[in-house]
Amino acid sequence: MAAVGSLPHGRAGTFIYLPGRLEEALIDLAKDLPAWSMKGTFLTDSTLTRYRAELASAPNYQEAVSALLEALGGASGGYAVVRLGNIAHALGIGDGFLRLATAILSAVAVPFQPFTRWPLWKELGTNLNAKPGLSTGVGYNAFHMDLVNVTHPPDYTTLLCVRPDPLGAGASILSNAREAVCRLAPSSRALLADAAYRYGSFFELSDVGEEYAPFPVLDGKPVDTGFVRFTAKMLAESDLDEEHASAAKELADQMVAGQVSFTLQRGDFLIVNQHRWVHGREPLAEGQHEVSHEKRRLLLQLFLRRRS
């Protein structure tokens, strides 16, 4: 995998590596980036304009943004990992780093936080008392899209790694939901188009439309506007008949068969195009109870909305 700038289009798979001169420029810029301002759940237009203007002149920045956008929305795209480990080492993952990460994400879409009781970057720590399959648990977090049960889900979900599992596990898993659907039998796709599925509650949310229950997994819309509304947890929590449950299980199996996995490192942020891909996580390593709270795996989550 090559660094941005060393190959035509500056792209290495779905991992975006920044050249040293761009890293140095961003480290300097981060020290003077202003704090963001919010209007409701969204970054304000003035913040977006300022952030985009501040970063625009950095060397190789436009090439990096082009690589990122291609990775997220190209013909075979759908996710990207931007590797900011060197910048995290220089700045720490504090306010300056988060302003820089937010500014970079502003080149993709508008950052927002639909969970109204949380700040823009929501913590996803490791809770030994949580159900293992939850995002904050220690077990296998099966494939899903975020906010599956709302009428207007975020277009992108972003996960920033503050600390990986110090015991070396907890790899991120992703799967191309659209390709998984294409591998299904027509009869299964027909069942998944029925509004028969349910998962989760609708609580303290804003700017994501209304609660959608029951919902179809396949909404019949074009790729960049529709969703494959899937979460493996609905298999246990929906009151499904045998045929609809079997179709969803077949889709889950196809997602697992086509999955990719990698372990996020400190400073990495993962962006997932929710119209195309689903994500999850392998279990954390055994022995988490022996790791102090301040050293356990910690991610920060932020969502993005395309401009209408």
Side-chain angles (χ1 to χ4, degrees):
M1 296 182 187
V4 166
S6 65
L7 287 176
H9 309 300
R11 180 161 171 217
T14 53
F15 290 80
I16 309 298
Y17 291 82
L18 306 185
R21 64 197 298 254
L22 176 54
E23 289 180 329
E24 292 172 3
L26 293 178
I27 289 168
D28 288 338
L29 285 169
K31 298 171 184 177
D32 296 319
L33 282 175
W36 58 73
S37 58
M38 306 284 294
K39 183 177 181 180
T41 63
F42 289 88
L43 250 64
T44 61
D45 286 343
S46 60
T47 295
L48 291 169
T49 300
R50 176 74 181 273
Y51 280 178
R52 290 167 180 168
E54 291 282 350
L55 270 58
S57 61
N60 297 116
Y61 178 68
Q62 297 302 334
E63 291 93 332
V65 169
S66 294
L68 177 56
L69 294 175
E70 182 184 352
L72 292 172
S76 61
Y79 77 93
V81 177
V82 182
R83 314 218 84 161
L84 300 182
N86 291 335
I87 297 176
H89 179 75
L91 297 176
I93 300 184
D95 291 344
F97 183 91
L98 293 181
R99 287 195 291 269
L100 177 61
T102 305
I104 294 172
L105 290 170
S106 297
V108 175
V110 182
F112 83 116
Q113 181 52 262
F115 292 96
T116 55
R117 60 193 176 118
W118 298 106
L120 182 63
W121 288 94
K122 175 190 175 188
E123 284 196 5
L124 296 177
T126 300
N127 183 351
L128 304 187
N129 296 316
K131 291 182 179 180
L134 294 180
S135 58
T136 57
V138 299
Y140 176 71
N141 186 14
F143 282 123
H144 63 280
M145 64 166 285
D146 288 328
L147 294 165
V148 66
N149 64 327
V150 301
T151 56
H152 194 193
D155 296 300
Y156 304 92
T157 185
T158 301
L159 295 169
L160 166 63
C161 182
V162 178
R163 290 190 301 271
D165 178 4
L167 301 180
S172 296
I173 55 174
L174 293 104
S175 189
N176 188 324
R178 299 288 175 175
E179 290 186 357
V181 168
C182 289
R183 294 193 292 270
L184 299 177
S187 57
S188 295
R189 293 199 295 269
L191 288 164
L192 293 170
D194 293 338
Y197 300 89
R198 298 177 182 269
Y199 175 73
S201 60
F202 188 90
F203 179 69
E204 292 187 349
L205 293 171
S206 181
D207 294 302
V208 288
E210 301 174 351
E211 184 174 12
Y212 197 7
F215 55 82
V217 174
L218 305 180
D219 58 20
K221 296 180 180 179
V223 170
D224 286 334
T225 57
F227 295 91
V228 178
R229 290 181 179 272
F230 181 85
T231 173
K233 297 182 181 70
M234 70 190 184
L235 291 168
E237 298 197 15
S238 293
D239 185 17
L240 294 171
D241 60 57
E242 184 175 349
E243 284 188 322
H244 286 92
S246 177
K249 178 63 167 57
E250 183 183 351
L251 178 55
D253 290 344
Q254 288 296 332
M255 288 176 173
V256 171
Q259 80 176 39
V260 296
S261 66
F262 47 81
T263 301
L264 294 174
Q265 301 299 323
R266 178 175 169 83
D268 288 349
F269 66 72
L270 165 66
I271 312 171
V272 182
N273 182 338
Q274 293 218 114
H275 297 278
R276 296 167 177 257
W277 286 65
V278 289
H279 65 285
R281 187 205 64 231
E282 296 285 2
L284 303 186
E286 294 184 6
Q288 294 295 321
H289 62 282
E290 298 175 0
V291 178
S292 60
H293 174 77
E294 65 275 8
K295 293 183 179 179
R296 294 177 193 147
R297 185 176 189 263
L298 173 63
L299 303 182
L300 300 178
Q301 184 179 48
L302 174 149
F303 299 95
L304 300 173
R305 171 79 72 218
R306 295 172 182 161
R307 288 187 180 275
S308 57

